Amino acid sequence: MQCSWKAIILLALASIAIQYTAIRTFTTKTFTVCPVPNPANCSLGLDPTDSPDRLCEDNQVQNLSRKVHILILATTRSGSSFVGQLFNQHADFFYLFEPLYHVQYTLIPKTPQNKNTPDRRVMLGASRDLLRSLYDCDLFFLENYIKPQPVNHTTDKLFRRGASKALCSYPVCDGLGPTDIYLEEGDCAKKCVSLNLTLATEACKDHGHVAIKTVRIPEINDLRALVEDPRLNLKVIQLVRDPRGILASRTETFRDTYRLWRIWRATGRRPYNLETGQLTMICEDFFNSVSTGFSRPSWLKGRYMLLRYEDLARNPMKKMEEIYNFVGIPRDANVDRWIQNNTRGDQSSAKHKYGTVRDSAATAESWRLTLSYDIVEFAQNACGELLTQLGYKTVGSPQELRDLSFSLIEDRAFTPFW
Ligand SMILES: *[C@@H]1O[C@H](CO)[C@@H](O)[C@H](O)[C@H]1NC(C)=O
Ligand SMILES: *[C@@H]1O[C@H](CO)[C@@H](O)[C@H](O)[C@H]1NC(C)=O
Ligand SMILES: *[C@@H]1O[C@H](CO)[C@@H](O)[C@H](O)[C@H]1NC(C)=O
Ligand SMILES: *[C@@H]1O[C@H](CO)[C@@H](O)[C@H](O)[C@H]1NC(C)=O
Ligand SMILES: *[C@@H]1O[C@H](CO)[C@@H](O)[C@H](O)[C@H]1NC(C)=O
């Protein structure tokens, strides 16, 4: 007797659950239902207590799979807007740009300098709860953190709303008609005044998948509870960049916060009160995450991809394909077109400091022309282990630093593990 009664009843329950999922998911266009397992034969070795989703995975029915939840785990000035666009431009993705801004802003308006404060733990807990709700398309959960608090589920204070294509398209944007195409960020802010969160939630549900970009989660270990959450299907794309490049870019962009680095660069003297944590924290967080990824823990199987910004900048099409292979979703012609339009180095259309439009390949190593050798040497000492880990070469002299004819980026393949 292969199948016990208990197993059959459990299977029956599982198929009811599947049908329930089917009813819910029929309302959205891109997903299809997992096949109902045949209760008459248990000999396939399927564990009847598995969730329907697990049965689905075991059956290797990849394109019938459920919703994918993408998290782009990044840090400021590492190219995360660019990576975000690879999902924002895809017709099946609902994309949100940095929703955790609101959590941080509400809980700790000042960025914490110390790593292990209770503040930080509270913020991470709240961030995980918010992410979980957003992946479930519950955008109302954001209302707890938006100031002033939205009235009638409507707000005009969503951070960088304009960076989300879905939120700047009909019908979520009140200033647009059904035939209008979506607006670019600047126009979106002008034309789409208030955001009706009910409509935004509906738009999220109409898309097959959800992608969120954040620079407010320090490392992959902070996400373990979400990665292991069976209600989610989380895939993390960890974006890293040469910390010397990040430092150079932040020094240009965050002129106040990185003022002392600018003074160092200009005078050749290192200010005694320089906040070296601004650099070392990047390296520590990267190092912890990447080490965790390299150790291939079972909880990250098929759920972690390490992406160097420099590789994406050098070969955006190829990297984009790798990303979509990892995610397990077909690419979209909109994404191809967007890459073609935005990686040719057409500076005339570059917009503002957070823009994604730039000559990507050339800017990846342009820090070598702007940082002083002193600063580079300091960074190499502070982040030596990480540079080796990620395949970024160090330089030994100012001449080597400025000689762009040899690249500091070693060829490395960081393939996801399954
Ligand atoms: C399972 O059942 C189906 C139809 O009832 C049958 O065609 C198939 O061969 C069975 N599979 C196994 C592995 O017994
Ligand atoms: C699954 O995807 C493959 C190729 O991507 C396609 O050939 C096949 O028809 C799809 N199956 C279903 C059931 O949609
Ligand atoms: C909220 O909705 C109520 C009932 O529809 C309405 O009376 C009120 O004016 C609305 N408040 C705002 C700020 O729009
Ligand atoms: C928001 O959109 C929903 C759905 O269309 C609508 O019922 C609701 O009245 C809208 N809210 C406001 C404040 O306009
Ligand atoms: C690419 O650029 C062309 C010409 O500027 C424009 O018409 C088109 O909408 C752009 N496509 C995308 C996907 O940005």
Side-chain angles (χ1 to χ4, degrees):
M1 177 75 187
Q2 287 265 358
C3 308
S4 71
W5 279 107
K6 220 169 151 188
I8 289 174
I9 288 168
L10 280 169
L11 262 181
L13 286 176
S15 65
I16 290 169
I18 290 165
Q19 284 163 30
Y20 170 68
T21 317
I23 292 162
R24 285 202 315 166
T25 52
F26 270 166
T27 56
T28 65
K29 55 183 192 303
T30 32
F31 8 9
T32 351
V33 190
C34 301
V36 178
N38 186 350
N41 57 10
C42 295
S43 49
L44 291 168
L46 297 177
D47 177 358
T49 56
D50 264 358
S51 72
D53 294 328
R54 176 61 65 77
L55 289 176
C56 196
E57 279 177 4
D58 286 354
N59 285 354
Q60 295 277 309
V61 197
Q62 281 218 343
N63 43 356
L64 300 182
S65 73
R66 56 202 176 124
K67 210 160 178 145
V68 174
H69 305 121
I70 302 296
L71 189 78
I72 301 163
L73 178 63
T75 186
T76 47
R77 310 311 296 168
S78 64
S80 61
S81 303
F82 191 104
V83 180
Q85 288 289 8
L86 303 183
F87 294 101
N88 190 35
Q89 298 297 328
H90 194 295
D92 291 343
F93 270 96
F94 182 81
Y95 172 69
L96 288 173
F97 182 105
E98 207 58 57
L100 300 183
Y101 165 85
H102 293 287
V103 177
Q104 189 195 339
Y105 196 75
T106 304
L107 297 179
I108 18 176
K110 210 176 163 297
T111 315
Q113 299 298 341
N114 190 333
K115 282 194 70 157
N116 292 310
T117 58
D119 276 4
R120 188 170 170 276
R121 280 200 297 276
V122 168
M123 200 191 101
L124 282 172
S127 297
R128 282 189 292 261
D129 284 348
L130 177 60
L131 287 172
R132 203 178 266 120
S133 303
L134 293 175
Y135 283 128
D136 197 28
C137 288
D138 176 2
L139 273 76
F140 302 116
F141 203 89
L142 262 172
E143 293 184 18
N144 299 319
Y145 299 105
I146 296 177
K147 283 177 179 171
Q149 176 131 29
V151 179
N152 292 345
H153 305 298
T154 298
T155 181
D156 58 0
K157 290 283 181 285
L158 184 73
F159 179 64
R160 300 287 308 276
R161 173 215 183 143
S164 169
K165 188 171 174 175
L167 299 184
C168 297
S169 309
Y170 179 84
V172 187
C173 172
D174 46 11
L176 290 181
T179 53
D180 291 330
I181 54 158
Y182 88 100
L183 298 172
E184 299 288 348
E185 177 141 22
D187 297 331
C188 180
K190 276 179 237 146
K191 272 210 162 167
C192 320
V193 183
S194 65
L195 176 65
N196 179 331
L197 289 166
T198 312
L199 289 176
T201 293
E202 282 166 11
C204 176
K205 288 179 178 159
D206 281 346
H207 287 76
H209 314 285
V210 180
I212 296 176
K213 179 218 100 161
T214 185
V215 297
R216 287 178 168 78
I217 303 275
E219 49 166 298
I220 185 73
N221 292 294
D222 296 318
L223 289 170
R224 180 162 178 174
L226 287 184
V227 173
E228 291 184 322
D229 190 328
R231 292 166 295 180
L232 298 182
N233 182 15
L234 191 66
K235 287 177 181 268
V236 180
I237 296 169
Q238 163 137 39
L239 179 65
V240 293
R241 181 180 178 185
D242 189 323
R244 295 166 293 186
I246 293 177
L247 181 63
S249 179
R250 287 186 183 178
T251 307
E252 293 302 325
T253 311
F254 309 132
R255 299 176 82 90
D256 288 342
T257 336
Y258 283 72
R259 192 176 52 90
L260 295 175
W261 295 91
R262 300 170 64 79
I263 291 176
W264 185 357
R265 194 179 60 185
T267 62
R269 287 233 181 93
R270 179 178 152 192
Y272 72 96
N273 55 346
L274 183 79
E275 279 185 42
T276 54
Q278 289 174 324
L279 174 70
T280 54
M281 217 145 100
I282 306 172
C283 298
E284 262 175 53
D285 288 341
F286 277 177
F287 188 79
N288 290 342
S289 278
V290 174
S291 304
T292 301
F294 282 179
S295 75
R296 304 183 163 221
S298 60
W299 60 276
L300 275 182
K301 241 185 227 171
R303 307 212 166 269
Y304 180 77
M305 176 175 180
L306 179 62
L307 175 65
R308 288 192 308 189
Y309 169 68
E310 293 82 0
D311 292 328
L312 181 67
R314 281 197 291 196
N315 216 337
M317 276 295 183
K318 177 165 163 279
K319 279 290 150 184
M320 182 269 288
E321 282 168 24
E322 284 175 28
I323 290 170
Y324 274 99
N325 282 341
F326 163 68
V327 168
I329 291 174
R331 308 158 37 185
D332 180 303
N334 292 318
V335 182
D336 297 7
R337 267 199 303 275
W338 187 88
I339 292 179
Q340 272 151 15
N341 270 10
N342 290 285
T343 55
R344 288 211 197 102
D346 179 5
Q347 296 292 341
S348 62
S349 58
K351 294 218 175 68
H352 54 82
K353 64 183 178 182
Y354 296 105
T356 43
V357 181
R358 60 182 72 138
D359 186 354
S360 50
T363 47
E365 286 197 74
S366 68
W367 59 269
R368 295 172 65 182
L369 301 177
T370 61
L371 285 185
S372 67
Y373 180 69
D374 286 0
I375 297 181
V376 170
E377 200 179 24
F378 175 83
Q380 290 178 170
N381 286 330
C383 301
E385 233 178 340
L386 176 78
L387 294 175
T388 311
Q389 188 187 43
L390 290 176
Y392 296 128
K393 293 180 208 159
T394 55
V395 290
S397 70
Q399 291 70 36
E400 253 178 34
L401 174 65
R402 303 282 188 238
D403 179 7
L404 294 185
S405 68
F406 89 104
S407 170
L408 298 182
I409 302 150
E410 282 170 23
D411 284 330
R412 291 274 184 94
F414 299 105
T415 40
F417 60 101
W418 300 86

